[in-house]
Amino acid sequence: MFLRLVYESFRRQSRRKLLAGVAITLGVAVATAMIAVATDIGDKINRELRSYGANLVVTPQEDTLDVEIGGINLKPPSDGAFLNEADLPRIRGTFWHHNIVGFSPMLPVVVKVDGSRSPARNTSVAATEDVTLVGTYFNKQLAFGKEEFTTGVRITHPWWKVDANCKGAATPLGSSAQPSGQNCGWPDDNSQEVLLGERLAAKLGKHSGDAVNVNGRPLTVAGILSTGAAEDDQIVAPLALAQQILGKPGAVRRVYVSAMTKPQDALAVRDPKTMSPEIYDRWYCSPYVQSIAYQLQEAIPHSHAEQIRQVAQNEGTVLSRIKGLMLLVTLAALFASALAVSAAMATAIFERRVEVGLMKALGAGNFTVAAIFFAEALLLALIGGVAGFTAGSLLAHQIGRSIFSSQISIQPVLFPIILTIAVLVTFAGSAAAIRRAVKFDPVFALRGEA
């Protein structure tokens, strides 16, 4: 009889049950999609945020030492100390080397540049002046042990663009090397070619393919660089060329590192010297920007690594806010679903007040009446939960393809969690209506009175 009453309620009030089922399905679908994306979003958002560039910088340890007596800085004026280029591949040997997206060394050198007339173009002659030439990796092939990898500014500075008059298109550095034309304009790391910043090129009257005299040696302009920063007034050259001009083989002034990290918390900002061995292991094995910087210092002798605070802190803030937004959307969808279920159940139970009164008149207790309605709600929640989980999984995959260009992984453990959420939301929405049904007076109910 119990099962028959439940069955008849679905058959006679199919429209009411359908409305409640749709509300549950929609709420659960949004919850499934948001939870699936939130649990799989960390690395994907970090990779998207890597398009903002490096978040760590490594400099010689000597640069951090201030020699000051009586308020007077006694540090000798110099270009500073240098890192050893041969140590850079050791970055791939750190614990979190898989989180290191790329790195690019920098070696600035002040050079003399003149605007020699280009034989191919009628350009004006500029006076000799001091210009900063920055040596770096563009797309350098390196090896650490048996592992080979490529790194350089094409990864750490993806907003850089070069105009080399290659079919009239500007090529972004961060693009994947697919058609050979996308490499047009970028110097080879073993060449004597350079990039001219667009403001410097305009001042010198130089274009792609021209020659520019740097410290008396002619160099070929491979392309015109546009960054919106100081590089627009500089020359960017292969690192080996800058080392030749400076006369310091293997010298590197600083290294920019792009690493995927997790947002800071209380543990992240603690001093590792004050930690117990257990806490230190947990901190060391967490991809905080501080722990990765610590490991970079271990890998590169006589170095100091620190986060580029504006970039690293903003990344953590963006990631936290995106996850917070997803949580808010999930709660809002579930709340709206509970309200819709409450309205549908309240109307359905009100229409069945005579049935409730008859059951009570025949001796049914409050528990029996409540059990019937909760059984209906449970069945409705399970049906809506399964449908919502299926729809939410499809929505999560669509979000992954459209936003991250990759698949969102749906963990199997998410299914029972979603069913539990569906049951809780349905019970929460039905509780008030069921409580009212239990309190129906059979005399007034049989008379048709509320």
Side-chain angles (χ1 to χ4, degrees), residues 192-196 206-212 219-224:
Q192 296 289 306
E193 297 179 332
V194 299
L195 297 177
L196 282 189
K206 297 295 183 181
H207 301 81
S208 300
D210 288 349
V212 59
L219 301 176
T220 303
V221 178
I224 306 302

Side-chain angles (χ1 to χ4, degrees), residues 36 41 59 156 175 218 242 271 275 324 332 355 383 450:
I41 200 175
T59 56
T156 60
S175 60
D271 185 352
M275 298 178 186
E355 178 186 337
I383 296 173

Side-chain angles (χ1 to χ4, degrees), residues 355-377:
E355 178 186 337
V356 174
L358 182 59
M359 284 191 294
K360 286 198 167 188
L362 293 175
N366 290 343
F367 178 79
T368 304
V369 175
I372 292 174
F373 288 113
F374 273 118
E376 295 176 9

Side-chain angles (χ1 to χ4, degrees), residues 210-228:
D210 288 349
V212 59
N213 287 332
V214 176
N215 282 5
R217 70 168 71 187
L219 301 176
T220 303
V221 178
I224 306 302
L225 179 65
S226 173
T227 69

Side-chain angles (χ1 to χ4, degrees), residues 5 10 16 23 63 66 72 101 151 212 249 295 301 337 344 375 379 429:
L5 288 174
F10 275 85
R16 301 288 184 194
D63 287 0
D66 291 328
I72 301 175
V101 179
T151 190
V212 59
Q295 293 168 31
S337 178
L379 183 58

Side-chain angles (χ1 to χ4, degrees), residues 47 177 180 235 265 311 317 449:
R47 291 191 181 278
S180 59
I235 301 173
D265 54 24
V311 175
T317 301
E449 301 176 8

Side-chain angles (χ1 to χ4, degrees), residues 112-115 126-130:
K112 296 287 186 180
V113 177
D114 65 67
T128 301
E129 60 178 288
D130 290 338

